[in-house]
């Protein structure tokens, strides 16, 4: 059996354009995470927890509930974080290699939203969320069918009202489809508090990166070019074939295309790499590494 750990990326509200005062959060909404054989899930959770504890040892020690401490993916993969702590990029790359060693793959599915207000698009946030999750389930079941495995989907917890509505619609979707691959799913997605589960926390980190990479692919002057700059090679063979961004205003993006440097939507626009937009970027990176090394030496 397979287990898929998922969380949300992007934003489910209306989108008009980057920088819009009210509707400028993210042009895409979807789900991402990883799929892994069930017998390997606990070992991946252990390996993730060890990396997290090493990276954020000081923060965890200061917490009143260290066993439940988590670093959100949006914070882990902020531009400021990757500039100040380049080891975060390397650590995540190492986790992806570890995931492959456990027989797992990264997964994402996202829909680009029709641009406009709620009144203009007639697409409520719950509609956007439900449609993305339905297609996410379809694609994970297709992957499970390919491997001749059943699959259980675990997701980060949401409000009780939304969870009940979501569960009802997903059960209806699962039982209404007669395709063979839909028989692979054991239950409608189950929800777990991320503070209590390392697999969900790792899925959240993956969502942090997928959110940045997808923004770079569809927003011309996105600040997140570093997502492709650092991961175009590292993640190339690590996505399921079923991973996809469904775009409204251009060609769909499939699996490793998400982290490629060139962008089909902007073929003649060269995005500015993070290093060239930040003064003394190399010096900042070197100083950050020296500071971390000195900190570790002082604790030794």
């Amino acid at each position: 059996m397979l287990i898929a750990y998922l969380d949300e990326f992007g934003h489910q509200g209306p989108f008009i354009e980057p920088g819009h005062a009210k509707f400028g959060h993210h042009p895409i909404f979807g789900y991402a995470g990883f799929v892994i054989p069930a017998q390997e899930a606990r070992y991946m959770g252990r390996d993730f927890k060890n990396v997290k504890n090493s990276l954020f040892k000081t923060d965890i020690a200061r917490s009143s509930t260290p066993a439940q401490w988590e670093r959100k993916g949006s914070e882990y993969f902020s531009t400021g974080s990757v500039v100040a702590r380049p080891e975060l990029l390397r650590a995540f790359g190492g986790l992806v290699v570890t995931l492959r060693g456990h027989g797992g793959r990264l997964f994402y599915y996202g829909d680009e939203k029709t641009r406009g207000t709620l009144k203009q698009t007639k697409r409520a946030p719950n509609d956007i969320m439900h449609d993305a999750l339905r297609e996410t389930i379809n694609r994970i079941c297709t992957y499970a069918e390919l491997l001749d495995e059943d699959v259980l989907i675990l997701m980060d917890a949401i409000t009780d009202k939304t969870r009940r509505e979501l569960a009802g619609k997903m059960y209806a979707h699962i039982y209404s489809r007669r395709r063979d691959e839909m028989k692979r799913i054991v239950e409608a997605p189950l929800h777990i508090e991320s503070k209590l589960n390392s697999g969900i926390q790792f899925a959240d980190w993956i969502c942090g990166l997928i959110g940045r990479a997808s923004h770079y692919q569809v927003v011309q002057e996105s600040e997140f070019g570093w997502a492709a700059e650092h991961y175009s090679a590292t993640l190339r063979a690590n996505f399921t074939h079923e991973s996809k961004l469904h775009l409204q205003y251009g060609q769909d993006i499939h699996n490793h295309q998400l982290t490629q440097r060139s962008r089909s939507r902007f073929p003649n626009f060269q995005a500015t790499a993070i290093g060239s937009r930040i003064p003394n970027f190399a010096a900042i990176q070197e100083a950050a590494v020296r500071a971390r090394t000195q900190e570790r030496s002082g604790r030794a």
Side-chain angles (χ1 to χ4, degrees):
M1 189 172 79
L2 304 173
I3 299 180
Y5 294 87
L6 301 178
D7 204 347
E8 301 174 357
F9 73 92
H11 191 269
Q12 66 193 59
F15 181 80
I16 293 179
E17 62 181 2
H20 190 278
K22 189 174 182 180
F23 303 122
H25 291 91
H26 202 293
I28 288 173
F29 175 79
Y31 294 90
F34 65 100
V35 188
I36 190 170
Q39 66 269 23
E40 296 291 327
R42 63 178 294 180
Y43 302 110
M44 186 65 220
R46 174 203 62 195
D47 294 339
F48 170 83
K49 188 174 182 179
N50 288 340
V51 171
K52 182 188 75 171
N53 289 347
S54 176
L55 288 172
F56 303 106
K57 182 176 180 180
T58 301
D59 298 290
I60 294 172
R62 290 172 179 168
S63 172
S64 59
T65 55
Q68 298 183 27
W69 188 92
E70 60 181 327
R71 172 69 76 199
K72 287 297 185 181
S74 57
E75 299 172 322
Y76 190 100
F77 281 112
S78 70
T79 300
S81 293
V82 300
V83 170
R85 298 191 61 183
E87 70 268 24
L88 297 180
L89 296 170
R90 295 192 296 272
F92 183 83
L95 282 169
V96 173
V97 173
T98 300
L99 175 66
R100 283 304 302 270
H102 288 300
R105 290 288 187 94
L106 302 175
F107 170 85
Y108 67 87
Y109 177 80
D111 286 319
E112 183 176 17
K113 295 172 289 189
T114 302
R115 298 197 177 193
T117 64
L118 176 60
K119 184 177 181 180
Q120 291 169 329
T121 64
K122 297 179 173 58
R123 294 280 293 155
N126 279 358
D127 296 328
I128 292 170
M129 180 175 66
H130 296 159
D131 287 350
L133 186 54
R134 276 193 290 266
E135 187 60 22
T136 293
I137 291 173
N138 294 346
R139 289 176 173 274
I140 289 177
C141 286
T142 298
Y143 178 68
E145 174 72 7
L146 180 67
L147 297 184
D148 194 23
E149 297 277 4
D150 291 335
V151 63
L152 180 67
I153 298 177
L154 303 180
M155 302 177 62
D156 192 12
I158 51 180
T159 64
D160 284 344
K161 180 181 178 181
T162 303
R163 177 181 54 78
R164 286 193 296 269
E165 179 182 348
L166 196 63
K169 291 190 174 184
M170 292 310 108
Y171 271 121
H173 171 67
I174 290 167
Y175 292 128
S176 67
R177 287 177 65 91
R178 299 186 180 277
R179 298 179 65 173
D180 289 342
E181 62 266 25
M182 293 306 292
K183 298 176 183 177
R184 292 296 183 177
I185 190 166
V186 176
E187 281 280 0
L190 304 177
H191 293 84
I192 300 177
E193 287 284 350
S194 61
K195 291 182 178 181
L196 304 177
N197 187 275
S198 293
I200 298 295
Q201 290 182 31
F202 184 34
D204 183 44
W205 285 17
I206 295 168
C207 283
L209 177 61
I210 299 301
R212 305 315 189 194
S214 59
H215 189 276
Y216 168 71
Q217 291 296 333
V218 300
V219 175
Q220 182 167 318
E221 296 186 355
S222 173
E223 70 175 273
F224 304 122
W226 49 262
E229 180 183 347
H230 289 281
Y231 290 116
S232 59
T234 305
L235 302 187
R236 179 172 297 276
N238 291 292
F239 293 108
T240 67
H241 179 74
E242 295 74 19
S243 297
K244 174 182 174 179
L245 287 186
H246 175 243
L247 302 186
Q248 295 280 355
Y249 307 103
Q251 296 179 344
D252 290 350
I253 291 172
H254 299 270
N255 45 73
H256 72 272
Q257 293 175 343
L258 181 68
T259 54
Q260 65 187 11
R261 293 184 177 90
S262 60
R263 301 182 292 177
S264 60
R265 181 171 292 187
F266 315 111
N268 299 317
F269 183 85
Q270 296 297 320
T272 305
I274 183 174
S276 61
R277 293 202 322 275
I278 300 176
N280 302 317
F281 178 70
I284 292 172
Q285 284 188 309
E286 292 173 2
V289 172
R290 285 197 302 272
R292 295 296 296 175
T293 301
Q294 292 171 359
E295 181 182 347
R296 293 191 188 101
S297 298
R299 292 198 300 264

